[in-house]
Amino acid sequence: TNRNLPRLAGWWGEDLDKRFEMAGEFQPAAGAAGWQISNPNVLSLGAIRASLAIFMEAGPPNLREKQRRLTGFLEYLLRERLGEKVEIITPADTNERGSQLSLYLQSGGREVYEQLRSRGIICDWRNPNVIRAAPVPLYNTYAEVWRFVDVLQRICP
């Protein structure tokens, strides 16, 4: 295949090994996968439409308020219980962040991430040593945030 053909460069068409490097130059995946763009297909839009109705019923202002409180609770617990082991690299200003906090671990980040996953806690991993945790206001609870920090405290080296 010719990787230099003109195309619409989209997130889903990026080579999976390079997708999160965000180097600024599109590196297409091999084969047909490299032609994917970043728009959902028509069947997926049905689920998106139904989920948007749920968001509207909850109310965006209510979700934003819970997001601030839930993420603030996560931030507070991390600073109180893991301040020496975990550095929050996401902006502290709530107007400069959403639900997600990026946590830089001094050591053992990938192993900690894998242990979280094995306990059913879903986060994102970013090299070199960052775990991204995102309590979602529509369905995550304060108890789940507490559990995340409790588990993280027990497994952090």
Side-chain angles (χ1 to χ4, degrees), residues 73-136:
F73 183 55
L74 174 59
E75 180 182 24
Y76 169 78
L77 290 175
L78 288 167
R79 292 192 192 287
E80 287 295 312
R81 297 175 66 186
L82 288 150
E84 298 293 319
K85 297 180 180 182
V86 174
E87 177 186 353
I88 301 170
I89 59 175
T90 307
D93 184 344
T94 60
N95 293 314
E96 295 180 9
R97 70 175 188 212
S99 295
Q100 183 264 149
L101 294 181
S102 293
L103 315 176
Y104 178 79
L105 278 69
Q106 301 300 322
S107 64
R110 185 65 188 204
E111 294 79 18
V112 169
Y113 168 77
E114 294 299 337
Q115 287 186 43
L116 288 168
R117 285 182 50 98
S118 74
R119 288 166 171 82
I121 297 172
I122 307 301
C123 298
D124 288 332
W125 172 256
R126 296 292 183 269
N127 287 324
N129 225 15
V130 176
I131 294 174
R132 296 189 329 165
V136 180

Side-chain angles (χ1 to χ4, degrees), residues 25-46:
E25 182 179 325
F26 178 68
Q27 297 286 324
W35 291 91
Q36 296 179 89
I37 55 176
S38 298
N39 297 330
N41 63 55
V42 172
L43 293 176
S44 295
L45 290 175

Side-chain angles (χ1 to χ4, degrees), residues 14-86:
E14 184 88 19
D15 182 347
L16 188 56
D17 293 335
K18 305 287 184 190
R19 186 175 293 163
F20 294 106
E21 290 180 11
M22 299 181 198
E25 182 179 325
F26 178 68
Q27 297 286 324
W35 291 91
Q36 296 179 89
I37 55 176
S38 298
N39 297 330
N41 63 55
V42 172
L43 293 176
S44 295
L45 290 175
I48 291 171
R49 185 175 185 192
S51 72
L52 289 175
I54 294 169
F55 276 93
M56 293 312 293
E57 183 179 334
N62 296 332
L63 291 172
R64 178 66 173 144
E65 181 59 28
K66 185 177 177 192
Q67 174 267 312
R68 286 181 183 206
R69 290 178 184 213
L70 200 60
T71 307
F73 183 55
L74 174 59
E75 180 182 24
Y76 169 78
L77 290 175
L78 288 167
R79 292 192 192 287
E80 287 295 312
R81 297 175 66 186
L82 288 150
E84 298 293 319
K85 297 180 180 182
V86 174

